[in-house]
Amino acid sequence: MTKTRVIAALIMAPTAICAILLLPPQWLAAAAALVFLTGLWEWFRMAGVDGLPRTVLLVLNLLLMVLLVWASAGSLVLFQLASLVGVGFWLLALLWLRFFDFGAHEESAARMLKLAAGTLAVVPAWAALVLIHAGEPHGNRWLLTALAVVWAADSGAYFAGRAFGRHKLAPRVSPNKTIEGLLGGLVAGLVVAVGFGWLAGVQPGAIGWLLLVAAVTVLASVLGDLFESLLKRHAGFKDSGSLIPGHGGVLDRIDGVLAALPVFALGKEIFGF
């Protein structure tokens, strides 16, 4: 299984990096929509929806993305507003984690909330990705920076947790996560933020703001990971899917990204680095 995970990662990571750096904004937006909607497809299954309703919901979310592009008319204001909506949702998701049993059962109201949560998580994250990538100058490098911060935080948390983990972060939601792992991920994310930020052209006077945004981005990525774990525990699933050998589903790979991208996008817009 470890060998399979490594091979899959060695294929996915270069593919993602090449797409971010080489694809024009419209093509990257389309490719990202495909990935994010695949994750949303898995989200709907965990919410207890399948068959034709699941397909209809996915098409409606695709149409929402298309409408966002059409209504923007070349402006990025709507993408900024969508990113803000995403940040607002994840603040509510933090409260949801506090009340583990909320939505744990199969009542129709709980299912509706989880379906709405899927749209509020995925569409704003996609909008934030488009917003970052379309920014000038070096939007592609800044998007790579945002994602590298999340990837580094995830790896740092894994290794720090294995080496030093003693205190559970959220035992009922994700028993393997520790506070020590969180701190290790935070350090790794900040280090990577400085390195990739330099490649993206951050000004020396803005490094402090970059570190602040990167720190909040790391915390948001952990929130996204925990929230997906909550959904899986409610549904009784080990993984969101089986599309990626050794890694589970697409949602298992992008859960942290969904929460992190709106935070990074708005932080970059506010502080202008």
Side-chain angles (χ1 to χ4, degrees), residues 43 46 89-90 92-94 96-97 113-114 117-118 121 173 222-232 255:
W43 186 305
M46 291 194 295
F89 163 72
W90 286 108
L92 291 175
L94 182 61
W96 196 332
L97 286 176
L113 284 173
K114 289 179 180 179
V173 178
V222 175
L223 172 58
D225 194 321
L226 288 174
F227 193 78
E228 196 227 354
S229 295
L230 176 75
L231 294 177
K232 287 191 290 188
D255 49 6

Side-chain angles (χ1 to χ4, degrees), residues 2 40 60 65 85 96 100 104 134 144 181 184 189 199 202 223 226 234-236:
T2 301
L40 186 59
L60 289 175
M65 291 177 172
V85 169
W96 196 332
F100 176 88
L144 183 58
L199 292 174
V202 66
L223 172 58
L226 288 174
H234 283 180

Side-chain angles (χ1 to χ4, degrees), residues 105-198:
H105 305 292
E106 290 299 319
E107 303 95 341
S108 57
R111 183 178 293 114
M112 291 299 294
L113 284 173
K114 289 179 180 179
L115 294 177
T119 296
L120 291 171
V122 170
V123 175
W126 172 81
L129 180 147
V130 173
L131 178 63
I132 298 170
H133 191 261
E136 295 291 345
H138 307 313
N140 55 350
R141 298 182 193 177
W142 278 115
L143 177 58
L144 183 58
T145 299
L147 294 175
V149 166
V150 177
W151 297 337
D154 187 50
S155 298
Y158 174 78
F159 288 110
R162 284 179 62 90
F164 308 109
R166 298 292 183 273
H167 302 88
K168 299 298 184 181
L169 178 63
R172 196 172 183 189
V173 178
S174 185
N176 292 328
K177 291 195 183 306
T178 63
I179 294 175
E180 293 82 1
L182 172 63
L183 295 175
L186 183 60
V187 171
L190 293 179
V191 171
V192 166
V194 173
F196 277 79
W198 175 75

Side-chain angles (χ1 to χ4, degrees), residues 195-219:
F196 277 79
W198 175 75
L199 292 174
V202 66
Q203 298 300 313
I207 290 179
W209 295 123
L210 172 59
L211 289 173
L212 174 62
V213 172
V216 181
T217 298
V218 169
L219 296 178

Side-chain angles (χ1 to χ4, degrees), residues 3-16:
K3 180 180 178 181
T4 302
R5 287 176 63 89
V6 170
I7 292 173
L10 289 176
I11 294 173
M12 291 188 297
T15 301

